[in-house]
Amino acid sequence: MAQRDFILRMIEQIGQMLIALRRQILRQSGESGDVEQRFRAVASHAGLDFDLIRRADVDTLVLLAPPQIDPSRCWALAELLYLDGLNEEAHGQLEQARASWQKAVRLYALIQPAGALLVGWPEAADRIADIAARLEALETDPAA
């Protein structure tokens, strides 16, 4: 029971870190280096390496956080990639944003039947729909 409580607290902490990171990205507050550092801190807290996450293909990412074994870790990985896409888009790095979002969609799809893992976390289907709209906007934007 104590181990389960510890794990739930860790998941909640990661969730709070992701929420704060999302707010910072959407407000475009802080230096880009600060955002990168926060990405690395969240990933490290989840036992992941952010640089590896960016470079890895989806199949490798699934090995890092298998959804059938650890859906919360898979969610954190997908959310990191979603936020990375938002950050890259905000800085005009559209190809990198597209790549992160495509990986995130694949990971969210793996956990979608479970819905939201914690209260306050969005449904996987909602994130997939948001990413689809963002990817479509990139395709229809002549500047992209």
Side-chain angles (χ1 to χ4, degrees):
M1 183 67 160
Q3 183 179 9
R4 185 180 188 301
D5 290 343
F6 174 76
I7 291 170
L8 288 175
R9 280 194 306 276
M10 291 293 290
I11 293 168
E12 190 173 309
Q13 286 176 352
I14 292 168
Q16 293 302 316
M17 293 170 78
L18 288 166
I19 289 168
L21 183 56
R22 183 173 189 268
R23 286 184 184 137
Q24 183 178 5
I25 291 167
L26 293 177
R27 284 193 308 246
Q28 295 183 0
S29 63
E31 299 287 322
S32 64
D34 180 46
V35 171
E36 290 289 318
Q37 191 173 21
R38 290 187 75 177
F39 271 116
R40 284 179 177 75
V42 174
S44 176
H45 204 72
L48 302 165
D49 179 294
F50 188 64
D51 293 322
L52 176 65
I53 291 168
R54 275 188 170 158
R55 289 190 309 268
D57 63 17
V58 174
D59 294 331
T60 302
L61 294 174
V62 171
L63 293 174
L64 292 173
Q68 67 277 17
I69 297 170
D70 192 352
S72 59
R73 188 169 171 164
C74 186
W75 178 273
L77 188 52
E79 193 74 0
L80 273 168
L81 287 162
Y82 166 74
L83 295 176
D84 185 48
L86 290 179
N87 189 51
E88 295 291 355
E89 180 187 40
H91 290 93
Q93 303 298 318
L94 303 182
E95 284 305 313
Q96 291 91 331
R98 186 178 286 116
S100 288
W101 285 334
Q102 289 169 341
K103 290 182 212 178
V105 164
R106 293 270 312 276
L107 292 168
Y108 283 127
L110 293 172
I111 55 175
Q112 182 177 359
L117 299 172
L118 291 175
V119 174
W121 287 26
E123 296 276 340
D126 293 342
R127 280 291 194 249
I128 291 170
D130 179 43
I131 292 170
R134 291 175 183 281
L135 288 170
E136 184 177 328
L138 287 181
E139 295 302 321
T140 59
D141 183 1

